[in-house]
Amino acid sequence: MNIDWTHFTPLASLAGGLLIGLAAALFVLLNGRIAGISGILGGLLTRPAGDSAWRVAFLLGLVLAPATYALFHALPQARVDAGTGTLIAAGLLVGLGTRYGSGCTSGHGVCGLSRLSPRSLVATAAFMLAGFVTVFVIRHVF
């Protein structure tokens, strides 16, 4: 096993994790809402119009934050080693899993675990296990 020391960034990763945790904690403390992206986005489709302003603002922030960062620094190059069909299938499977799991990784992994939610613990363990199995099968079976 080799470590890619060029891309090994524990301090930046720690800072990012702390910022995500702080943002999620402030969001629930100040708004009484969970910062789960699938729930916020899904709420735009099912909630009354009066509940949509904060959801749109939250989602715009997700788009505008990297756009603002790009004004001052180059964005990292994304490298995707998969074809279009694989990406479409993966997206559909993630969407289906999010729907059946009553939330996404951000909602369960960041917000649910911090609230000691048993459902989020099971969901996060399932996300992780599925990821481990997928990587193993892709790298060692195929």
Side-chain angles (χ1 to χ4, degrees), residues 32-72:
R33 309 250 184 203
I34 302 300
I37 307 308
S38 63
I40 292 170
L41 180 61
L44 281 175
L45 305 173
T46 60
R47 303 273 190 243
D51 189 49
S52 62
W54 71 270
R55 295 173 189 278
V56 170
F58 191 97
L59 295 171
L60 276 175
L62 291 177
V63 173
L64 293 177
T68 304
Y69 180 86
L71 295 174
F72 303 99

Side-chain angles (χ1 to χ4, degrees), residues 36-128:
I37 307 308
S38 63
I40 292 170
L41 180 61
L44 281 175
L45 305 173
T46 60
R47 303 273 190 243
D51 189 49
S52 62
W54 71 270
R55 295 173 189 278
V56 170
F58 191 97
L59 295 171
L60 276 175
L62 291 177
V63 173
L64 293 177
T68 304
Y69 180 86
L71 295 174
F72 303 99
H73 300 286
L75 291 174
Q77 292 295 320
R79 185 178 129 207
V80 179
D81 295 331
T84 304
T86 302
L87 292 176
I88 291 171
L92 290 172
L93 287 171
V94 167
L96 187 65
T98 298
R99 190 72 176 155
Y100 280 121
S102 299
C104 58
T105 54
S106 61
H108 285 299
V110 175
C111 302
L113 290 180
S114 65
R115 294 181 300 116
L116 303 176
S117 166
R119 181 174 76 174
S120 291
L121 178 63
V122 171
T124 303
F127 298 151
M128 297 298 293

